[in-house]
Amino acid sequence: SPEVLSTCVSVAQGVALIGMPEARLLLAQAVVAVATAPKSNATYLAIDRALADVRKGRGGSVPEHLRDAHYAGAKALGHGDGYLYAHDCPHHVAAQQYLPDTLRGTVYYEPTQHGFERTLTERRERIRRILDAAPVQDTTR
């Protein structure tokens, strides 16, 4: 969970600043936090699935509307055309394609119902409902 990572980083800094033997209490707290944290390999599996697609050559091209449009000539290439700024959209969710066409609809990260991932699952479901209700922006030419 994100909290455990922050705890461990803080403990590492504390050990460096305080030193032993006093830092043994910090180390014990980190051990307890890691040992009792909800376990998940969802991000590990997601990275492996994404890497497998890259290795198979399934990467594809970045959609035109997501390409950098901040240099001379980029607009002439269509870069940035149709880009939706999420903060300008209802609920700050933009209904636009982020993956290349070859990966459209692909899902890599499947959070569990455990610990912090439960919150991510609920958030993803809310975003999906917002997107399902939004008109789809056609960014193809």
Side-chain angles (χ1 to χ4, degrees), residues 4-107:
V4 173
L5 177 59
S6 296
T7 298
C8 291
V9 169
S10 295
V11 165
Q13 290 173 336
V15 169
L17 293 170
I18 296 169
M20 293 300 278
E22 291 81 2
R24 67 188 177 150
L25 297 173
L26 299 175
L27 292 167
Q29 290 173 338
V31 167
V32 170
V34 171
T36 59
K39 307 297 188 270
S40 173
N41 65 349
T43 54
Y44 178 83
L45 294 173
I47 291 168
D48 280 353
R49 285 193 284 266
L51 286 173
D53 276 351
V54 169
R55 288 184 180 118
K56 291 177 192 170
R58 290 194 65 219
S61 299
V62 173
E64 295 287 334
H65 61 281
L66 296 180
R67 294 186 187 188
D68 185 9
H70 296 91
Y71 65 91
K75 288 288 185 192
L77 296 172
H79 293 190
D81 286 349
Y83 174 76
L84 299 174
Y85 186 58
H87 298 282
D88 292 339
C89 298
H91 309 287
H92 298 259
V93 175
Q96 65 186 345
Q97 181 180 337
Y98 291 97
L99 289 172
D101 288 336
T102 56
L103 297 174
R104 192 176 212 164
T106 302
V107 175

Side-chain angles (χ1 to χ4, degrees), residues 40 42-43 107 109-130:
S40 173
T43 54
V107 175
Y109 180 62
E110 296 284 352
T112 68
Q113 292 295 321
H114 306 290
F116 181 70
E117 286 185 351
R118 181 181 319 192
T119 302
L120 297 178
T121 297
E122 293 165 1
R123 187 177 302 164
R124 192 168 77 167
E125 289 169 0
R126 277 194 314 272
I127 290 169
R128 177 59 43 216
R129 285 192 300 272
I130 291 166

